[in-house]
Amino acid sequence: MHRRPLDTGSRLVSAVKVIVGGHIVAAGLATYWGQDGWYRKYLMPALRCVTDGETAHVLAVKAAKHGLMPRLKLLDHPEMKTQVWGLSFPSAIGLAAGFDKNGEAVDGLLKLGFGFVEVGSVTPQSQDGNPKPRVFRLSEDKAVINRYGFNSEGHEAVLKRLKEREKDKFGPEIPDDRNLLNENLWSPDRPKFQGVAHKANGLLGVNLGKNKTTVDAAGDYVVGVKNFASVADYLVINISSPNTPGLRALQNKKELEQLLEKVLKARNELPGKRPPLLLKLSPDLSPEDKVDIAAVISQPKFRVDGLIISNTTVSRPSSLKSGSKGETGGLSGEPLRALALSTTRDMYRLTQGKVPIIGVGGISSGQDAYSMIRSGASLVQIYTVLVYEGPPSVKKISDELVQLLRKDGFRSISEAVGIDVKL
C-alpha cells in the first residue's frame, strides 16, 4: 500500500509544528532547570507584561509554597558557610522580609539556595494594609516602590503555620542506597519512608511589626518576641518601614531606649529558647541619628544582637527614569544600593564592628554582595532582584561572590567582613 506524498502545505504545517513544539520543550526545560539568561531576558519580562506587581508577588509565593520553582544545580561552596550569633548559616545569602509575609513558603524558598529566609513583617492582629494599588515596578530603574503597610494575617495564623513546619522536622530519611520500589529492602532497623516532608536546610528569621492603630508600639513587639521565640532562629524589630505612620519615630534616641528596654527584657526573661534580637534600620537616617542609635545599642542595657541595614527609602534619586517614580512608598532595588551601602559602612564604624550586620538593599550581583560584606555586613539579603531576574539570581550571586572571595584570597565570608572600613 502506497501512501500519498505530503503536499507542500502539509509539509509546511508539519515543519511549523515541529519547530513550535521544539521551542516549547526548550522553554520548558530552561524554566525547569533555572537557566539564568532565559529567566532574565525572556521569562521575567514576559511575566511583568501580563501581571501587575502585587499579583505577581502573590503568585510567586504560591509557587514557592507548592514547590513550583526551578530545579537549580546548586554548588556546595564552603566559602559561603558562616557562623553568626552562634548560628550556622549554610549560605550568607538570605531572603529579605516582605516577600513571604505570612510564612507560607519558607522551605520552598530555602531550596532555591538561600541560607536563611526572613518572614514578615508580622503584626499581632491581622490587618489589610494600605489600599491597592500599592506595588509599582520601575522597570527602567530595576526598582520597586511599595506601600503595602504591614499587610499581615496576624500572629495567630502565622505562628500556627510555622509550628506546623516544626512538626515536619523529624521523620525517617531516605537512604541513597535503597530502591524504593523493592519492598524486600525495608527492615525493622531501616523503617519504610512514610512520605514525611523534612524542613529544608537553612535558618528562619521572623520580622515583627506593629499594628497601624496600636498606641503602645512596644507592647506589640513584646508580644511578638514572646510568641515567635520558639520557632525563630532570630527575631527582628522592624521600626523603619516608611508605610506605617509614626513607625520611624521609634528610631529616635529616647523612643528607641524605651522600646529596647522592654523588648530585650521580654526576650531575656523567656523560659526557654532566647533567639538573637535584631533591629532593622532606615537608610534615610541623618548622621546624628546614626550616632545616637550606635550610642544606644552600645550600652549593655540596650544592646541588640545585630542590625539589618536597610529598609526601603523615601528618597528619590534624580537618576530615576520610570513614570512611577513619583508614587508614594518605599523604594527598593538598584537605586537603593549606594544608600544602603553607606549606611552599613557608617553603622559598622560607629559600633566598632562589634554588632553583626545583615546588609540589604540593591544587591543584584556577586560584586554588590561583596561590596556590602567588605563594608561591614556579615550576611546579606536580596529581594527586588527576584522581580527582574527570577529565582536563578540566588545561585548567580552566590557563584559570583565565591569567585571574588577566592580571587582576593579569602577562605570565608567572615574574613572579608568590614575589610574596607577603618575603625
Side-chain angles (χ1 to χ4, degrees):
M1 179 177 179
H2 297 283
R3 293 184 180 181
R4 293 173 56 189
L6 294 175
D7 58 28
T8 303
S10 297
R11 288 198 297 270
L12 181 60
V13 170
S14 297
V16 169
K17 287 181 178 179
V18 170
I19 293 171
V20 172
H23 279 80
I24 291 174
V25 170
L29 290 172
T31 302
Y32 179 75
W33 289 112
Q35 292 183 7
D36 176 56
W38 164 252
Y39 272 79
R40 186 177 66 256
K41 296 177 182 179
Y42 304 106
L43 184 57
M44 299 310 295
L47 291 175
R48 292 196 298 274
C49 285
V50 299
T51 59
D52 63 82
E54 185 161 354
T55 298
H57 181 185
V58 171
L59 290 175
V61 173
K62 297 300 182 187
K65 176 181 179 179
H66 296 290
L68 303 176
M69 285 288 174
R71 187 172 180 177
L72 301 172
K73 296 180 180 179
L74 302 173
L75 300 177
D76 184 19
H77 296 304
E79 296 93 338
M80 292 300 294
K81 298 175 182 178
T82 190
Q83 282 207 336
V84 188
W85 307 301
L87 301 172
S88 296
F89 290 80
S91 170
I93 298 174
L95 177 62
F99 183 84
D100 188 4
K101 289 176 174 289
N102 296 303
E104 299 177 71
V106 177
D107 293 301
L109 293 165
L110 287 172
K111 289 175 183 177
L112 292 176
F114 287 112
F116 60 109
V117 167
E118 189 175 311
V119 303
S121 294
V122 190
T123 56
Q125 304 301 319
S126 63
Q127 61 179 30
D128 294 330
N130 293 321
K132 300 177 183 180
R134 53 192 179 181
V135 182
F136 307 89
R137 302 187 190 103
L138 283 66
S139 297
E140 299 92 331
D141 308 294
K142 292 189 176 179
V144 169
I145 291 175
N146 91 81
R147 49 173 181 263
Y148 271 120
F150 283 172
N151 52 314
S152 173
E153 292 182 7
H155 284 188
E156 184 178 354
V158 177
L159 183 59
K160 180 180 179 182
R161 191 171 289 129
L162 295 180
K163 283 185 175 180
E164 287 296 322
R165 176 177 177 265
E166 284 288 308
K167 292 180 182 178
D168 291 338
K169 184 175 182 179
F170 304 103
E173 297 284 357
I174 311 177
D176 294 333
D177 63 340
R178 198 154 54 176
N179 179 355
L180 300 184
L181 298 179
N182 191 336
E183 291 292 328
N184 294 327
L185 290 178
W186 307 107
S187 70
D189 296 327
R190 305 170 78 191
K192 183 176 179 179
F193 178 68
Q194 299 297 319
V196 177
H198 288 261
K199 291 202 306 181
N201 184 34
L203 302 183
L204 170 67
V206 177
N207 186 298
L208 304 172
K210 65 174 283 293
N211 282 112
K212 185 176 182 178
T213 58
T214 294
V215 176
D216 178 20
D220 277 11
Y221 291 111
V222 165
V223 171
V225 168
K226 292 179 178 179
N227 282 342
F228 288 97
S230 64
V231 296
D233 292 301
Y234 69 87
L235 295 169
V236 183
I237 305 300
N238 185 356
I239 55 173
S240 52
S241 169
N243 301 315
T244 297
L247 186 70
R248 286 190 167 189
L250 295 173
Q251 296 175 119
N252 296 335
K253 186 175 182 179
K254 182 179 179 181
E255 287 81 0
L256 183 60
E257 289 178 342
Q258 293 174 345
L259 172 65
L260 291 182
E261 182 176 10
K262 293 178 181 178
V263 295
L264 285 168
K265 182 175 183 293
R267 193 278 307 270
N268 294 337
E269 292 179 350
L270 290 171
K273 180 181 174 185
R274 298 174 183 174
L277 195 65
L278 282 60
L279 194 65
K280 187 163 187 175
L281 300 178
S282 163
D284 303 317
L285 297 168
S286 69
E288 295 77 15
D289 291 333
K290 295 174 188 176
V291 170
D292 285 346
I293 291 172
V296 170
I297 65 174
S298 295
Q299 299 177 56
K301 187 177 182 180
F302 308 119
R303 186 167 294 155
V304 292
D305 299 290
L307 299 173
I308 298 184
I309 303 172
S310 67
N311 215 313
T312 56
T313 179
V314 295
S315 68
R316 297 292 184 267
S318 59
S319 60
L320 294 181
K321 303 173 183 177
S322 173
S324 298
K325 64 184 179 181
E327 292 290 345
T328 301
L331 173 71
S332 64
E334 291 192 3
L336 174 60
R337 184 188 306 136
L339 195 54
L341 194 65
S342 64
T343 305
T344 298
R345 188 182 302 114
D346 289 345
M347 294 308 298
Y348 184 80
R349 177 177 51 81
L350 289 168
T351 58
Q352 293 295 298
K354 296 178 181 179
V355 181
I357 295 171
I358 299 179
V360 54
I363 295 174
S364 60
S365 69
Q367 183 60 60
D368 297 338
Y370 191 40
S371 297
M372 187 68 81
I373 290 164
R374 292 180 66 103
S375 295
S378 297
L379 302 161
V380 297
Q381 290 177 327
I382 64 173
Y383 182 171
T384 303
V385 65
L386 295 171
V387 175
Y388 293 98
E389 299 185 19
S393 59
V394 186
K395 180 181 184 300
K396 183 201 76 169
I397 293 172
S398 177
D399 292 347
E400 291 175 354
L401 177 55
V402 167
Q403 293 304 313
L404 290 167
L405 289 167
R406 291 174 180 173
K407 180 182 176 182
D408 289 347
F410 294 118
R411 294 168 297 177
S412 66
I413 293 285
S414 59
E415 291 181 0
V417 174
I419 200 75
D420 289 339
V421 183
K422 292 183 179 180
L423 299 178

